[in-house]
Amino acid sequence: MKITENTDLEIVKAIREGLERTGGYCPCRLERTPENKCMCKEFRDQIKDKDFEGYCHCMLYYKSK
Ligand code: SF4
């Protein structure tokens, strides 16, 4: 299992700017809840799921099996 950043630097830049704007909350979500702090609960659960492979919701990170 490996977590890597998207190789598309434009996406990484846009999401990082979004995270800075929100103070670390997922820029793709409206609710400022602890579950939505990056890395958000959804992605942490996807990391735990041995069958999951793919991007997080914002496409900042990629999990390979
Ligand atoms: S979707 Fe990705 S970038 Fe957004 S909070 Fe979750 S892990 Fe971070």
Side-chain angles (χ1 to χ4, degrees):
M1 195 279 282
K2 210 168 84 183
I3 311 290
T4 49
E5 263 188 13
N6 196 327
T7 53
D8 185 328
L9 298 180
E10 285 299 308
I11 292 181
V12 171
K13 187 168 174 274
I15 302 301
R16 290 234 173 268
E17 280 170 5
L19 284 165
E20 228 163 88
R21 207 178 50 238
T22 63
Y25 291 98
C26 186
C28 313
R29 295 182 169 97
L30 289 177
E31 305 84 35
R32 305 280 186 257
T33 58
E35 301 86 70
N36 289 348
K37 270 254 177 175
C38 192
M39 293 178 174
C40 59
K41 182 171 185 321
E42 179 185 72
F43 192 51
R44 282 184 275 122
D45 287 345
Q46 286 169 328
I47 291 170
K48 278 186 228 154
D49 178 356
K50 63 175 175 43
D51 294 323
F52 176 83
E53 167 144 21
Y55 288 104
C56 70
H57 188 81
C58 293
M59 295 182 71
L60 176 59
Y61 296 114
Y62 189 86
K63 181 207 165 192
S64 354
K65 280 189 196 171

